[in-house]
């Protein structure tokens, strides 16, 4: 954690109040030192697996979680294990689809595609941009002639959207829950991006408070404080009555 302190604040600053798709890339770049273009080219499934690796090396496999039973309101304390979500199968990088008399080659959005369109103001604009990236080519079935993007029908876009939705279960991690009080069973989706980000956000805020206290008490610079081990920071904090 001590060597990680400065990195943690860099990652937190880069991803602060950004859409989750961008926070995910900030974590991959900062925590795992993955080059931006490599991270952007990852599928969403690959991105999530890498985030789990980063989370494991920083905070371990255990995921303490709470959930309210939707039937009786009982609070469930869960202790999930990240390893349950590893090795979810990947999908083909490219697939083919027949729409009317057209052969459409499409691919799933990458982590970079999602990060790029996450800041679009209009949902429709984001949707169009994503489709233009994920539709690789459209050809006439009989003549094999290429159909220019300006000629693509709405049916092509709609069919590809449905196909993307169907083909992306690798990014969805469902947790099956049973309420011990009333027996109700249901499932919730586990999202590693928002889960891990909220943990990093908490740690970063805690670290900033420690830097503030030590800088105020001793006049040390931020870099000096961040370079210390967590144990040493805690010892000094105790001495100055924090
Ligand atoms: Zn219940």
């Amino acid at each position: 954690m001590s060597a990680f302190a400065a990195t943690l604040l860099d990652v937190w600053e880069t991803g602060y109040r950004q859409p989750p798709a961008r926070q995910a890339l900030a974590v991959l770049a900062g925590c795992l030192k993955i080059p931006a273009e490599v991270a952007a080219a990852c599928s969403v499934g690959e991105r999530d697996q890498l985030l789990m690796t980063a989370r494991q090396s920083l905070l371990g496999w255990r995921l303490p979680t709470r959930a309210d039973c939707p039937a009786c309101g009982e609070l469930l304390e869960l202790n999930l294990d990240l390893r349950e979500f590893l090795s979810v199968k990947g999908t083909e990088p490219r697939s083919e689809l027949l729409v009317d008399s057209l052969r459409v080659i499409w691919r799933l959005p990458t982590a970079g595609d999602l990060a790029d369109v996450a800041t679009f103001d209009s949902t429709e604009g984001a949707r169009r941009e994503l489709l233009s990236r994920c539709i690789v080519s459209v050809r006439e079935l009989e003549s094999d002639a290429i159909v220019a993007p300006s000629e693509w029908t709405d049916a092509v876009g709609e069919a590809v959207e449905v196909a993307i939705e169907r083909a992306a279960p690798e990014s969805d991690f469902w947790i099956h829950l049973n309420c011990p009080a009333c027996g109700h069973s249901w499932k919730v989706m586990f999202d590693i991006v928002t889960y891990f980000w909220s943990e990093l956000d908490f740690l970063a805020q805690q670290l900033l408070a420690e830097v503030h206290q030590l800088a105020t008490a001793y006049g040390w610079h931020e870099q000096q404080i961040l370079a210390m081990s967590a144990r040493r920071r805690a010892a000094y904090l105790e001495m100055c009555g924090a």
Side-chain angles (χ1 to χ4, degrees):
M1 180 66 192
S2 68
F4 185 70
T7 306
L8 171 63
L9 290 191
D10 286 341
V11 170
W12 175 79
E13 193 175 13
T14 308
Y16 185 71
R17 292 197 175 165
Q18 291 288 313
R22 288 181 163 249
Q23 291 173 335
L25 294 188
V27 175
L28 295 189
C31 300
L32 297 178
K33 309 295 174 213
I34 295 176
E37 64 277 14
V38 176
C42 285
S43 72
V44 176
E46 289 164 342
R47 178 199 72 185
D48 289 354
Q49 299 286 311
L50 288 168
L51 288 173
M52 290 182 201
T53 308
R55 199 297 184 162
Q56 187 275 326
S57 65
L58 187 64
L59 299 165
W61 294 116
R62 293 276 155 206
L63 301 168
T65 311
R66 289 163 162 229
D68 291 315
C69 171
C72 74
E74 174 88 357
L75 177 67
L76 275 69
E77 303 263 3
L78 307 163
N79 205 359
L80 302 169
D81 190 319
L82 254 190
R83 281 167 288 196
E84 288 167 27
F85 303 109
L86 286 173
S87 75
V88 175
K89 73 171 177 63
T91 44
E92 292 295 318
R94 288 183 176 197
S95 302
E96 192 182 285
L97 196 65
L98 296 180
V99 183
D100 302 326
S101 58
L102 302 170
R103 184 194 306 277
V104 181
I105 306 292
W106 62 278
R107 64 167 177 79
L108 283 171
T110 62
D113 293 331
L114 296 183
D116 289 344
V117 302
T119 51
F120 275 44
D121 288 332
S122 98
T123 319
E124 183 55 22
R127 179 183 163 264
R128 284 182 180 281
E129 175 63 23
L130 207 55
L131 272 179
S132 76
R133 293 178 182 212
C134 292
I135 299 175
V136 180
S137 70
V138 180
R139 287 171 183 268
E140 296 276 2
L141 202 52
E142 276 186 20
S143 66
D144 206 35
I146 290 177
V147 180
S150 57
E151 311 277 308
W152 294 351
T153 59
D154 287 345
V156 169
E158 285 159 18
V160 169
E161 279 177 326
V162 170
I164 287 174
E165 200 143 309
R166 282 199 190 139
E170 59 170 331
S171 60
D172 295 344
F173 302 102
W174 291 98
I175 304 166
H176 296 268
L177 301 171
N178 286 298
C179 175
C182 75
H184 180 70
S185 62
W186 75 104
K187 58 180 187 172
V188 291
M189 203 177 85
F190 171 66
D191 177 9
I192 181 67
V193 181
T194 50
Y195 187 97
F196 190 26
W197 185 264
S198 66
E199 288 181 319
L200 291 176
D201 184 50
F202 177 79
L203 289 174
Q205 304 277 1
Q206 207 174 32
L207 192 55
L208 286 170
E210 289 181 16
V211 170
H212 168 70
Q213 284 169 336
L214 291 175
T216 307
Y218 296 99
W220 294 330
H221 289 286
E222 184 197 53
Q223 278 182 332
Q224 294 172 310
I225 299 168
L226 293 178
M228 284 176 200
S229 68
R231 178 167 299 177
R232 203 178 279 210
R233 276 199 306 275
Y236 283 123
L237 283 168
E238 202 171 315
M239 279 180 231
C240 59

